[in-house]
Amino acid sequence: MAEQLTGLAGDRALLGRTSTAERVSDILRSRIAEGYFPPGTRLSEDSIGGALGVSRNTLRESFRLLTHERLLVHELNRGVFVRVLTAEDVEDIYRTRSLVECAVVRGLGEPPYRLGGLAEAVEAGRRSAGEGDWKGVGTANIHFHRELVALAGSERTDELMRSVFAELRLAFHVVDDPRRLHEPYIAKNAELLKTLENGEREEAAHMLAVYLDNSLERVVEVYLRRVGDDA
């Protein structure tokens, strides 16, 4: 916990003079997504509030917001914990992803599309793989899908999926073999990008639907192997 809090203290400058519960929530959401606070971790009000230099009331409001986003859970007389997902949670996350991401692709309109963000995410995944950084590959994969959703040009959709992708990272953080989980998506993302570059919107939507179905099976398989019947 000491290392995590040291890094968190460095985020204090992000708060500026307009410290708000929403900004604290943004910081904690990012840190949870990055794995600084793994699933099951108890979050100490005193330690985190001290690291960020915010009041207890502000921090509690941030915890409330993140609990609403399903990233945290409050346990009576025990405190606030980073949520541990169930297999059913993972399945629901993928249902949401399939509904939103496939709809975004089908609704793109006529090409060409602004695919620079997708291309950068594909290259980031390849670089991380070359360095043996498989968690980095997972991060690049999430960025790819965030950029895909951003093609809709909808702030509401971006906000919705930001929470969904943050929840998904909770599952990724308990997987004991990130290479096996993330490596296949390097080629799959490149193939999907190429299809969109060719302007083949319907084909890309079909590919994405199959991609997400296969991804769900893979994630649930490794997730159950790691957390067992408790999931």
Side-chain angles (χ1 to χ4, degrees), residues 100-115 118 147-153 192-193 195-197 199-202 204-205 208:
V100 173
E101 294 186 48
C102 292
V104 167
V105 173
R106 290 193 178 95
L108 284 178
E110 295 302 315
Y113 311 122
R114 296 183 178 180
L115 304 176
L118 294 178
E147 291 293 337
L148 184 69
V149 169
L151 293 175
L192 185 57
L193 172 61
T195 304
L196 288 171
E197 287 174 339
E200 300 171 1
R201 179 184 59 189
E202 288 299 326
L208 181 59

Side-chain angles (χ1 to χ4, degrees), residues 148-176:
L148 184 69
V149 169
L151 293 175
S154 166
E155 292 184 4
R156 291 176 177 83
T157 305
D158 290 343
E159 183 176 356
L160 166 67
M161 295 307 291
R162 179 186 65 179
S163 296
V164 170
F165 289 136
E167 265 195 281
L168 182 62
R169 293 298 291 267
L170 294 181
F172 288 173
H173 290 317
V174 301
V175 171
D176 58 353

